[in-house]
Amino acid sequence: MKYLSLIPVLLLLSILSFGQLKIASQSPVFGEDESVGIQKVLLMKNGNTFYMGLSKKALTVRIYSPKSMVKATKQLHPHLGKGSSFRVKGVYDMNGEVVVLISAVDKHQVVLQRLVIDAATGALKEEATIGELEKVSYFKLLGVAFADVPEPDFFAEAMPEGNGYAVVAMNSFQPDRNKRVVVSIYGPDNKELSHAFYKSPEEKYKYMEFLGIAPLEKNKLGILAYGYNTVASGGKETELLLGTLVTGDTLLTVDRLATITKPAVASLARYNAASKKMMLLAITAREGYAVTVIDPFNKKAATRLLSRKESVAPQNLFPNEDGTFTVVYENLTFLESRSTPSHSFSQVSMEDYIVSVLSTESMEELKRYRLPRRHWRAEMIRTATFYNAYNYFELAYKQPSPLEAFGYLNTGANSYLFLNDDADNIEKAQKGKNLGKVKSIDDCDAFYYTLSGDKDVPAADYLLGEQVEKRDHNTGVFKACDYNAERKAYVVVKGEQRGKDLSWRLVWFKL
């Protein structure tokens, strides 16, 4: 009978601990050059963990064993171009090697470099340029800022089942409209298997704009794009297009999905392998926010307008393991700003995050949570929309710290949002009190919100440990993380601030 009496207590403890994140292990502390702006991690198939820290001068590689011990460390010096323009486009585990794709500007030209690194020793095995865009002058940049021309860039995505990776080049200033979007598929051995142009249907559209990649099958890729004209180029008509490319082919087939109004500000598309659907979140000129769900297999699309508050801007879109999608919004106020052709310097009030879970079938909101915040930044470079979705946290001059980024994780059973915030404000938010103004990320710690239950403000807790001394802080680099769904393992880079000293370590969680 004594054992039976313990059952309710054990059940209660299991309920109270449900959804909590517990640290499984940590790496030894390491220090990097202060100029490190990009850090990435990768959970490998063999149980090892790959870490890279990229500065303007060097690329530091660390390989960790399944027991979180350092197996190898290398400092590499690849020739990558202008350091302030670095953007890591992909980090992939391929045949016992790590493939790193990095774009950079070299003599006014955006190039894509591929590094092949030995996953056992960290040695650099190959360095190659696999993509080049048209050279961009200052006057052409004005077209990106003011003439509705898509920004020239590269995009990459892993193919399913470890079957290589895809690269899309948005070559906005290519004179031939039928060569502005280029799609390539590479095999696990890094050999190019497909190279195809996304052609304008019937030469109808002067402009083509890439939206997103959908890895449909092991050897099949979907590419979402807009085809459109401007008033000066023949009208305002816009079509949502789906291109399909099969590995080995050099011709990309294009299906017309819908005639729509082109977003005036921005759009973001993600593919969900669980539902086999793609969601496009777009900001239209008049209606506000709209979501479009695309069935890439049946070639169908359906759109629904979303209601919004004037000060709320979408920051990222995430697929969930149950087939739904999560949109994270941010309450923003730009107090004053000054602009250049490529950046906007602003005084920004950044307040509550709103987390909205959307059904793939009905596009209706299923759940909604509010994460109270009150941050203020002066002279900050940022966009209003999709700021968290892109690479704004890296090496460019005066860019914000990578610690400004938030993270999101869905494990199927639970969903979490990670952020660095002031500990006093987290406590006040949980009690429904007014928050203080946070002017710097330097005095913040890493927290996680468990996105469950019926409360408007979900429960929050320290992610990487509570600070011991007042000047000590534990922060998370949420653009330097990885999750393995099969092993239910999550790893993130932790920043340890001990007085004036900053060091790093990797932290692993078992979910």
Side-chain angles (χ1 to χ4, degrees):
M1 295 297 292
K2 290 183 179 180
Y3 294 108
L4 291 175
S5 66
L6 289 175
I7 292 177
V9 176
L10 294 174
L11 286 174
L12 178 61
L13 289 174
S14 67
I15 291 171
L16 291 175
S17 62
F18 180 77
Q20 288 188 336
L21 296 177
K22 299 296 184 183
I23 294 175
S25 61
Q26 301 189 54
S27 75
V29 169
F30 59 89
E32 297 288 26
D33 189 291
E34 290 183 359
S35 64
V36 168
I38 303 176
Q39 299 184 83
K40 297 292 180 184
V41 289
L42 176 67
L43 293 169
M44 303 195 67
K45 300 183 186 76
N46 62 6
N48 289 346
T49 301
F50 172 86
Y51 164 89
M52 59 172 278
L54 180 61
S55 74
K56 297 178 182 180
K57 298 179 180 179
L59 172 65
T60 302
V61 170
R62 287 185 170 83
I63 312 294
Y64 295 87
S65 72
K67 293 185 178 180
S68 311
M69 301 304 295
V70 179
K71 295 182 66 176
T73 301
K74 292 283 186 183
Q75 190 171 81
L76 311 175
H77 298 276
H79 303 285
L80 298 175
K82 186 178 179 181
S84 62
S85 66
F86 290 161
R87 292 184 181 182
V88 176
K89 296 298 181 177
V91 183
Y92 307 122
D93 181 359
M94 298 285 165
N95 290 339
E97 300 171 334
V98 176
V99 177
V100 181
L101 303 179
I102 300 173
S103 71
V105 175
D106 187 11
K107 298 178 181 178
H108 302 285
Q109 185 177 30
V110 181
V111 298
L112 184 65
Q113 307 275 12
R114 180 178 62 207
L115 307 180
V116 179
I117 299 171
D118 189 305
T121 66
L124 181 62
K125 298 180 67 175
E126 178 190 320
E127 179 181 348
T129 299
I130 63 170
E132 296 179 340
L133 303 184
E134 295 290 314
K135 289 190 176 182
V136 180
S137 66
Y138 175 83
F139 294 103
K140 285 185 177 180
L141 282 177
L142 293 176
V144 175
F146 303 112
D148 207 21
V149 177
E151 180 181 0
D153 206 352
F154 289 98
F155 307 87
E157 195 77 47
M159 297 294 287
E161 302 177 40
N163 203 38
Y165 50 95
V167 174
V168 176
M170 182 66 246
N171 204 357
S172 304
F173 297 105
Q174 160 63 240
D176 187 341
R177 72 181 70 186
N178 290 317
K179 293 184 178 180
R180 288 182 184 145
V181 180
V182 188
V183 185
S184 297
I185 298 177
Y186 294 85
D189 58 359
N190 297 307
K191 292 182 179 179
E192 189 177 39
L193 304 176
S194 295
H195 186 88
F197 295 104
Y198 207 125
K199 295 183 178 180
S200 173
E202 301 172 3
E203 303 287 326
K204 188 174 182 179
Y205 301 108
K206 180 177 179 180
Y207 298 102
M208 300 290 293
E209 180 178 353
F210 165 80
L211 296 173
I213 302 173
L216 304 178
E217 297 172 4
K218 183 178 180 179
N219 296 302
K220 190 176 183 180
L221 188 70
I223 307 96
L224 195 67
Y226 283 122
Y228 66 98
N229 292 312
T230 62
V231 175
S233 63
K236 295 183 178 181
E237 187 175 7
T238 301
E239 277 194 297
L240 185 63
L241 307 170
L242 179 70
T244 305
L245 182 64
V246 176
T247 299
D249 289 354
T250 56
L251 292 176
L252 184 147
T253 60
V254 178
D255 290 281
R256 296 174 171 179
L257 300 180
T259 301
I260 57 176
T261 302
K262 183 182 182 295
V265 181
S267 55
L268 181 66
R270 301 286 193 217
Y271 178 67
N272 192 325
S275 63
K276 297 186 182 300
K277 302 286 178 61
M278 200 171 195
M279 181 172 281
L280 171 68
L281 177 60
I283 303 167
T284 61
R286 297 179 181 178
E287 294 89 351
Y289 306 148
V291 288
T292 300
V293 173
I294 298 99
D295 184 334
F297 294 92
N298 294 320
K299 312 295 191 299
K300 294 181 179 179
T303 300
R304 177 178 177 271
L305 294 176
L306 298 176
S307 60
R308 66 176 174 118
K309 294 181 180 178
E310 202 61 39
S311 61
V312 176
Q315 299 305 311
N316 215 333
L317 174 67
F318 303 95
N320 297 320
E321 288 189 11
D322 63 358
T324 61
F325 285 86
T326 293
V327 183
V328 179
Y329 301 90
E330 185 177 16
N331 280 277
L332 282 172
T333 303
F334 287 83
L335 303 176
E336 61 178 79
S337 63
R338 56 188 177 86
S339 298
T340 69
S342 58
H343 294 102
S344 177
F345 300 79
S346 304
Q347 295 188 41
V348 190
S349 174
M350 304 177 293
E351 301 193 356
D352 299 358
Y353 285 130
I354 304 297
V355 181
S356 174
V357 182
L358 298 177
S359 165
T360 306
E361 301 303 323
S362 65
M363 293 173 279
E364 297 284 346
E365 186 176 77
L366 302 175
K367 296 179 182 178
R368 187 178 185 88
Y369 299 100
R370 182 173 62 89
L371 281 55
R373 295 168 69 244
R374 194 183 177 204
H375 285 236
W376 184 88
R377 301 287 185 271
E379 288 294 292
M380 188 180 196
I381 305 173
R382 71 159 296 170
T383 58
T385 58
F386 302 128
Y387 179 63
N388 192 75
Y390 298 117
N391 300 311
Y392 295 110
F393 305 93
E394 301 189 343
L395 291 173
Y397 175 66
K398 283 190 175 179
Q399 292 286 52
S401 164
L403 301 175
E404 297 277 2
F406 68 80
Y408 176 83
L409 175 64
N410 175 261
T411 65
N414 292 291
S415 295
Y416 308 95
L417 192 137
F418 309 118
L419 78 169
N420 296 306
D421 206 349
D422 181 83
D424 291 338
N425 273 1
I426 292 287
E427 183 179 355
K428 291 175 181 177
Q430 294 292 301
K431 295 179 180 179
K433 296 182 178 180
N434 293 330
L435 307 185
K437 184 184 290 186
V438 180
K439 294 184 178 181
S440 171
I441 205 75
D442 295 341
D443 297 325
C444 293
D445 289 89
F447 290 89
Y448 71 96
Y449 283 85
T450 302
L451 304 173
S452 63
D454 298 325
K455 290 185 178 180
D456 176 46
V457 178
D461 201 353
Y462 284 94
L463 177 68
L464 301 171
E466 187 173 355
Q467 67 269 40
V468 178
E469 301 292 338
K470 186 175 181 181
R471 297 179 65 192
D472 294 350
H473 296 283
N474 299 314
T475 51
V477 185
F478 299 118
K479 290 297 183 183
C481 67
D482 195 23
Y483 173 64
N484 185 295
E486 292 182 3
R487 301 205 304 266
K488 295 295 182 184
Y490 176 77
V491 62
V492 66
V493 173
K494 174 186 179 182
E496 292 190 355
Q497 189 77 45
R498 300 296 179 259
K500 293 183 179 180
D501 298 325
L502 175 64
S503 57
W504 310 94
R505 71 166 83 228
L506 269 61
V507 181
W508 289 266
F509 295 81
K510 188 69 176 179
L511 296 107

